[in-house]
Amino acid sequence: MIDFVLPYVDCNDKNWQKTYIDTRRKMDLSTEINPLRYRSWDNLQYIFRGIDLFMPYIRKVFLIVSNIEQVPSWLNTEKVNIVLHKDFIPEEFRPTFNSCTIEMFLPNINGLSENFIYKELVLTFYQLQLLNIFLKHLLKQKEQHKTLVFFQKL
């Protein structure tokens, strides 16, 4: 089985904006929130629905957020594992607004399978379908005892 890991930022959250601006100010960097980098695509619910409908081989879904206020109110948290930055990123690297930092510490996520998919939220239905086709093919080959290594933790 494979896990699915999604990082998520609610850029409209005032607490997140304050933390972002304060952190950037301490580093003498621009405090402007780039709308091209941090913007809501409003597709999170469709991604979860697509995983649920078309990817039955997904064992667990992990949603990575900076704090609990970032979790959408409509989300069924019984079906999705919420992972806060503080749960897997060492304190000296927080707060972080950099996906490379998040990716570097993914192996620290408690309960994450050795095999997992990490995908940022700019994921369309078409991309989800292509990923589904690709993974079904890989899983079929694995069932036929062919040696495959994919989506592994380091």
Side-chain angles (χ1 to χ4, degrees):
M1 294 297 243
I2 300 170
D3 291 344
F4 207 104
V5 182
L6 290 164
Y8 174 71
V9 173
D10 177 1
C11 58
N12 298 314
D13 174 20
K14 298 297 180 198
N15 290 329
W16 179 87
Q17 290 175 2
K18 182 182 179 332
T19 303
Y20 179 85
I21 290 167
D22 290 348
T23 303
R24 302 279 294 184
R25 189 173 288 130
K26 285 179 192 173
M27 301 170 78
D28 276 336
L29 298 171
S30 167
T31 58
E32 178 185 357
I33 298 174
N34 184 340
L36 297 176
R37 182 166 181 194
Y38 298 105
R39 92 174 206 198
S40 175
W41 289 84
D42 288 329
N43 65 347
L44 188 60
Q45 64 273 27
Y46 302 110
I47 292 170
F48 286 128
R49 191 172 298 143
I51 291 169
D52 200 35
L53 290 173
F54 302 113
M55 302 175 99
Y57 45 82
I58 296 297
R59 181 181 74 109
K60 289 183 183 178
V61 176
F62 293 85
L63 181 68
I64 298 175
V65 293
S66 61
N67 58 59
I68 202 69
E69 291 79 24
Q70 289 278 306
V71 178
S73 59
W74 50 262
L75 185 63
N76 180 353
T77 55
E78 291 178 13
K79 292 185 95 177
V80 176
N81 296 280
I82 305 302
V83 182
L84 306 178
H85 288 184
K86 71 181 181 88
D87 296 337
F88 73 104
I89 299 173
E91 187 175 355
E92 62 265 25
F93 298 102
R94 296 189 323 255
T96 186
F97 305 95
N98 185 317
S99 60
C100 293
T101 304
I102 293 168
E103 292 165 10
M104 183 168 64
F105 293 106
L106 286 177
N108 294 349
I109 295 176
N110 197 17
L112 183 62
S113 171
E114 196 170 289
N115 302 305
F116 64 96
I117 301 164
Y118 172 82
K119 184 67 178 127
E120 293 187 6
L121 283 179
V122 185
L123 181 68
T124 64
F125 181 76
Y126 176 72
Q127 290 170 318
L128 193 62
Q129 285 296 89
L130 289 178
L131 183 60
N132 186 41
I133 291 166
F134 172 73
L135 289 173
K136 279 184 178 178
H137 176 71
L138 284 177
L139 291 171
K140 185 176 179 181
Q141 286 184 344
K142 191 172 183 181
E143 286 172 6
Q144 295 171 355
H145 305 290
K146 294 183 180 177
T147 303
L148 287 175
V149 177
F150 56 99
F151 307 118
Q152 282 206 334
K153 291 185 195 179
L154 298 175

